Amino acid sequence: MEISNHKLKCKNGDFSVSYEESPNCSGPFANELPDTIVIHYTAGSSLSSSVNWLTNPQAKASAHLVIGKSGEIVQLVPFNIKAWHAGRSIWKGRQGLNHFSIGIELDNAGMLEKRADGFYTCFGKRIDNSQVVLAPHKNGREEKAWEAFTEKQIDAVEKICLILKEEYPITEIVGHDDIAPKRKTDPGPAFPLQNLRNNVLIGRADNHEDEASEQRLSAGIVSADYLNIRSSPDGNSSLVSEPLPKGTKLAVIEEKAGWLRVKVILEGWVSKKWVKEI
Ligand SMILES: [Zn+2]
């Protein structure tokens, strides 16, 4: 994919991109904008129904892109023009995010209703349990049910955000629920927003090394057979984990009276389902 004339174009058939013009937009962005991407779910029943609605003048709503469950992309508004996706919103002191941001809608039913025989969308379609994510919203406490996003959608969003960042001065990726927390729940907890931010704004893996090297004083390696790791620089304080075996790599963050505050550097693969994003 690439951007040409503020429109997404697919190269070598890597993605399907089509264009359906929406009248629901206003003039061009000011200089040095857009600098933010806002992620949404449509809460609609299908990609085509959402595209029909967002191109209907009565909707008074649009987005720059809508992404279907198979990763197919429909662009409604060129990226240099303001689309109407954010509504009343505020982020870091700036109001009305339509003036600053690109809006990406994902075809997804959003919050589901639990009935005796399973989970249903607000338009009455039953969603298979394998496609249901149970989690509280970050702006609420109660656990709710949400339709899962497809891997193809998540992959398409990430690729698009990377391309947008090359073309525009993008420094923020937020959810509609970040910029209008009282009104909106999209994209909600089923969408891996923090992952997307990390992968697009910070860059994969490399960044974490940068972060670690900024903070640490030096690196070390455990030379004892087993080394206790404690909660404070005191031989009587509690242990924070099993003793570290010989050869464990450490990043030294602080030194105090013969003690080192360290971070343990481990690298390996863990099952994603047991890791909670923070
Ligand atoms: Zn939204």
Side-chain angles (χ1 to χ4, degrees):
M1 268 184 300
E2 61 183 10
I3 294 173
S4 134
N5 239 342
H6 306 288
K7 289 182 182 174
L8 211 51
K9 298 263 148 66
C10 97
K11 271 197 306 199
N12 352 308
D14 51 354
F15 276 89
S16 123
V17 181
S18 58
Y19 197 82
E20 303 258 357
E21 197 175 330
S22 173
N24 305 326
C25 59
S26 27
F29 287 108
N31 278 346
E32 304 301 312
L33 294 171
D35 60 11
T36 300
I37 296 171
V38 182
I39 307 291
H40 304 259
Y41 59 57
T42 57
S45 59
S46 68
L47 174 64
S48 59
S49 74
S50 296
V51 168
N52 284 344
W53 176 240
L54 295 173
T55 51
N56 180 338
Q58 286 179 343
K60 295 194 166 38
S62 64
H64 290 91
L65 304 173
V66 191
I67 304 177
K69 291 195 160 82
S70 317
E72 64 275 49
I73 300 155
V74 184
Q75 182 161 5
L76 311 180
V77 175
F79 298 124
N80 60 330
I81 301 291
K82 296 172 192 173
W84 300 345
H85 57 95
R88 234 172 339 107
S89 50
I90 183 162
W91 185 247
K92 294 194 175 165
R94 292 191 308 186
Q95 291 190 19
L97 269 285
N98 286 346
H99 298 295
F100 312 103
S101 65
I102 288 172
I104 301 180
E105 289 274 2
L106 301 171
D107 173 28
N108 177 282
M111 202 191 292
L112 304 173
E113 185 196 328
K114 187 175 195 309
R115 295 187 197 164
D117 63 337
F119 294 95
Y120 285 79
T121 66
C122 61
F123 37 88
K125 185 185 162 202
R126 182 161 175 202
I127 301 292
D128 190 81
N129 283 358
S130 66
Q131 300 307 310
V132 176
V133 174
L134 294 171
H137 192 278
K138 62 184 166 191
N139 301 333
R141 280 191 213 135
E142 242 177 279
E143 185 178 86
K144 307 261 185 189
W146 310 84
E147 186 180 25
F149 294 88
T150 68
E151 272 184 41
K152 285 184 174 166
Q153 280 178 312
I154 292 168
D155 182 46
V157 176
E158 184 172 322
K159 294 214 164 74
I160 290 165
C161 288
L162 285 166
I163 297 169
L164 287 171
K165 198 183 116 190
E166 276 178 31
E167 196 77 16
Y168 306 98
I170 302 293
T171 55
E172 293 266 21
I173 302 176
V174 293
H176 204 181
D177 46 11
D178 290 316
I179 62 170
K182 293 204 174 114
R183 295 190 301 122
K184 294 291 174 180
T185 51
D186 60 319
F191 186 79
L193 189 64
Q194 194 52 47
N195 255 352
L196 179 68
R197 283 190 186 123
N198 291 347
N199 294 346
V200 174
L201 300 177
I202 307 178
R204 290 170 184 279
D206 321 352
N207 174 70
H208 298 292
E209 277 173 28
D210 289 352
E211 254 174 36
S213 64
E214 254 175 46
Q215 288 176 1
R216 75 185 176 204
L217 297 174
S218 61
I221 195 161
V222 174
S223 58
D225 283 343
Y226 286 97
L227 180 63
N228 287 327
I229 178 163
R230 298 182 180 279
S231 57
S232 57
D234 169 354
N236 294 318
S237 66
S238 56
L239 299 173
V240 301
S241 82
E242 296 285 299
L244 307 172
K246 193 174 195 164
T248 305
K249 288 187 218 155
L250 307 169
V252 179
I253 302 162
E254 193 182 344
E255 184 169 353
K256 209 185 238 177
W259 292 83
L260 299 173
R261 186 156 73 90
V262 299
K263 265 190 182 165
V264 178
I265 305 173
L266 275 180
E267 193 177 306
W269 292 84
V270 297
S271 170
K272 186 179 173 187
K273 68 179 170 188
W274 303 113
V275 178
K276 189 175 173 226
E277 278 181 39
I278 51 169

